[in-house]
Amino acid sequence: ASPQYHLSQFIRCLSPGRIPDHSNQYLNMSAEQSGGKAEGGQLEDRVDLSAETSEKITQARELLSASGGSASSLQDALALLAALEKRCRVGNDTPSLVRVCEASLELCKEAGDDEALLATLKTLSTRRSQKSKSIASLVSKCLPWVVDADGDGFTPLPVTGEEAEKARDALVEELRNITDGKMYLEAERARLTRTVAVLRESRGDVAGAADVLQEVHVETYGSISKKEKIEFILEQMRLTLLKKDYVRAYIVSNKIKKAQLDEEGMAEWKVKFYTLLTNYYKHEREALQLAKCYHAIYSTRSVQEEEARWKEALTNAVVFLCLSEHSNETKDMMERVNLDVRLEKIPECKETLAKYLRDEIIHYPLPHQSALESVPAFADDADDGDEGGTTLREHWHETFRTRVVQHNLRVASLYYRQIHTSRLAQLLSLATAETEKHISQMVSNGTLYAKIDRPRDVVRFTKKRCEEEVLSDWASDIKTLLGLVEETTYLIHKENMVQSH
């Protein structure tokens, strides 16, 4: 037969009236196989086992107490409750199921059998079709046995003995495994993870504590308050900084919105955040960012209420502003800080800042330089040297001198179009070679325009303009002058007319 014949036969089979209607049969079969009745808004049948639950729990406690908490009686009591647990779970009696699960854990705890407690917890939490409420009750029941649940919720309870410590750590790890991947237990998992970090840090494993804390992306959790999130992220920052992982510490710091730290009740976390951030910027040796951090600490209300704290923060802000490379942002911040009335109480900072804001040569060393360099922020930290072996204190000391020289060069460029290099070196109290070096660095950074003519021993601070630019400036000046003459003439005529009348 040809393919056309087979196609025609297939189409005849699909024609109306040739296909039997089995829809009613399928509907009847599905109705017969349905598990429960939809009465009273319930999709499944629920069996009330509350009375039997109370009776069985009492029997299990009596069985355990009668034998003095032996291992065999504990197993018998757990077996009695295990059968009841299955009936409650299958019968959808969630309140009774929660009671049975909690009672099973309590029996193990009262018997002092840590292995049975772990086994029971793992077995009950991994049952087929286990209710989420029962799993949540298991976790909440065990938490007070390992952490300070009434306090911060993550500090591990102190124990005596190596065996007790191992049992506590094993229970914490098991609870973390149970809460893994469950959105309704994300807050408990975050606190348990922090408990593990505290335990590892107490044993000297800072890297391990930082790694385990990085597993929790607490900023995505909706069941944790804003303060707890910020506190958790700050702990991540602290541990990564202790681990010397500065890149990750900076990434973690960006999870906190700085606007949130200015809200009411966030003063403690704001100070802690910017204090940790200063440790990062000290490592990166970014003076302007350090000045911003210390000024943010100074502007906190709780800091301004204590004179010693705000003086230290404001002094650090001024010192690192003086160490910052010149820019419009640095200049603007200096002007704003200089307007602060509290700066009058720190005369060395007030005088130093005034010198930087005036277009005058600053003689090095500054009158209060020793006092400014004695601030705690200049102190050497462990492993703070760079690849060249320069310590942090040496770096800031050298930077202080460099910023003074750069300020003096900018002042010289304002008053001189060109000047002999030897004369400029004399004004700056530098050697000629060092003067050329600083000029070259500023020209390379784009903060100064200069050209050095060594054969003539001349430094030129202005660009050589072409004839068109000179003529254009001359025409503009003439136009301005004529405008002033015209306005003056008008005012003279106006005054004459007023006087004549």
Side-chain angles (χ1 to χ4, degrees), residues 287-351:
L288 180 58
Q289 297 299 330
L290 282 168
K292 290 181 179 179
C293 290
Y294 282 117
H295 193 264
I297 295 174
Y298 162 74
S299 62
T300 307
R301 181 180 302 177
S302 61
V303 174
Q304 292 191 349
E305 293 174 354
E306 302 179 24
E307 184 175 354
R309 295 180 66 188
W310 70 255
K311 277 188 175 181
E312 179 183 354
L314 186 57
T315 302
N316 289 332
V318 171
V319 168
F320 284 106
L321 268 177
C322 297
L323 291 169
S324 303
E325 190 171 356
H326 178 76
S327 64
N328 292 334
E329 186 178 10
T330 305
K331 183 81 170 181
D332 177 69
M333 190 172 179
M334 281 185 175
E335 295 284 359
R336 288 187 286 110
V337 172
N338 191 48
L339 296 175
D340 196 331
V341 294
R342 294 192 176 189
L343 198 62
E344 300 288 344
K345 296 184 179 181
I346 314 176
E348 58 271 16
C349 294
K350 179 69 175 178
E351 294 177 13

Side-chain angles (χ1 to χ4, degrees), residues 207-474:
D211 292 340
V212 74
L213 214 60
Q214 293 302 317
E215 298 175 1
V216 181
H217 302 283
V218 72
E219 66 276 6
T220 63
Y221 290 0
S223 59
I224 298 181
S225 64
K226 186 188 301 183
K227 285 187 178 181
E228 192 172 358
K229 286 182 182 180
I230 292 177
E231 185 180 0
F232 195 95
I233 296 173
L234 290 177
E235 185 66 13
Q236 289 179 331
M237 285 181 61
R238 187 184 69 84
L239 290 175
T240 48
L241 287 171
L242 287 177
K243 187 186 173 183
K244 306 298 182 183
D245 190 354
Y246 294 99
V247 175
R248 186 172 294 277
Y250 181 72
I251 294 173
V252 172
S253 69
N254 289 329
K255 296 179 180 179
I256 297 179
K257 295 181 180 179
K258 296 180 180 179
Q260 294 178 346
L261 299 174
D262 294 328
E263 297 177 1
E264 189 69 26
M266 290 289 185
E268 180 184 354
W269 313 129
K270 179 181 179 180
V271 173
K272 187 175 181 180
F273 171 75
Y274 283 108
T275 302
L276 291 173
L277 211 55
T278 56
N279 294 331
Y280 168 76
Y281 286 123
K282 281 181 185 178
H283 177 264
E284 298 297 322
R285 304 187 175 187
E286 297 185 17
L288 180 58
Q289 297 299 330
L290 282 168
K292 290 181 179 179
C293 290
Y294 282 117
H295 193 264
I297 295 174
Y298 162 74
S299 62
T300 307
R301 181 180 302 177
S302 61
V303 174
Q304 292 191 349
E305 293 174 354
E306 302 179 24
E307 184 175 354
R309 295 180 66 188
W310 70 255
K311 277 188 175 181
E312 179 183 354
L314 186 57
T315 302
N316 289 332
V318 171
V319 168
F320 284 106
L321 268 177
C322 297
L323 291 169
S324 303
E325 190 171 356
H326 178 76
S327 64
N328 292 334
E329 186 178 10
T330 305
K331 183 81 170 181
D332 177 69
M333 190 172 179
M334 281 185 175
E335 295 284 359
R336 288 187 286 110
V337 172
N338 191 48
L339 296 175
D340 196 331
V341 294
R342 294 192 176 189
L343 198 62
E344 300 288 344
K345 296 184 179 181
I346 314 176
E348 58 271 16
C349 294
K350 179 69 175 178
E351 294 177 13
T352 303
L353 204 58
K355 288 180 179 293
Y356 272 85
L357 291 175
R358 287 196 297 264
D359 294 331
E360 298 177 1
I361 296 291
I362 300 176
H363 296 286
Y364 186 87
L366 281 75
H368 305 287
Q369 180 152 348
S370 58
L372 296 176
E373 292 187 354
S374 63
V375 296
F378 265 57
D380 293 335
D381 297 329
D383 301 328
D384 66 349
D386 58 9
E387 295 180 357
T390 305
T391 63
L392 193 61
R393 181 179 290 276
E394 293 173 351
H395 167 76
W396 293 132
H397 178 76
E398 184 62 28
T399 303
F400 220 134
R401 182 173 181 272
T402 302
R403 297 294 178 252
V404 171
V405 173
Q406 291 176 351
H407 169 83
N408 293 339
L409 284 172
R410 284 194 302 274
V411 171
S413 67
L414 295 176
Y415 292 102
Y416 292 95
R417 291 183 179 179
Q418 63 180 21
I419 185 175
H420 287 286
T421 309
S422 57
R423 173 57 178 162
L424 180 61
Q426 183 183 1
L427 290 174
L428 302 183
S429 301
L430 298 175
T432 304
E434 190 175 3
T435 303
E436 292 183 356
K437 173 187 173 183
H438 285 289
I439 293 174
S440 301
Q441 289 177 350
M442 294 184 70
V443 170
S444 299
N445 296 333
T447 57
L448 180 71
Y449 176 85
K451 284 193 173 183
I452 301 175
D453 188 349
R454 277 187 172 177
R456 297 175 56 193
D457 189 31
V458 170
V459 179
R460 185 180 296 109
F461 292 113
T462 56
K463 293 182 180 179
K464 186 177 181 180
R465 299 184 298 173
C466 61
E467 292 78 1
E468 290 82 0
E469 291 178 345
V470 175
L471 184 60
S472 177
D473 289 346
W474 179 82

Side-chain angles (χ1 to χ4, degrees), residues 44-102:
E44 295 180 344
D45 291 335
R46 179 180 179 277
V47 181
D48 187 7
L49 298 173
S50 57
E52 185 178 355
T53 300
S54 301
E55 181 182 353
K56 294 293 185 182
I57 291 176
T58 304
Q59 291 180 6
R61 293 187 181 279
E62 292 176 352
L63 182 62
L64 183 63
S65 59
S67 59
S70 62
S72 58
S73 61
L74 177 61
Q75 294 299 325
D76 295 339
L78 291 177
L80 180 65
L81 294 180
L84 179 61
E85 184 271 337
K86 182 177 180 181
R87 293 182 57 196
C88 293
R89 177 163 39 86
V90 175
N92 299 310
D93 189 1
T94 304
S96 299
L97 177 61
V98 170
R99 291 177 58 196
V100 172
C101 292
E102 291 181 349

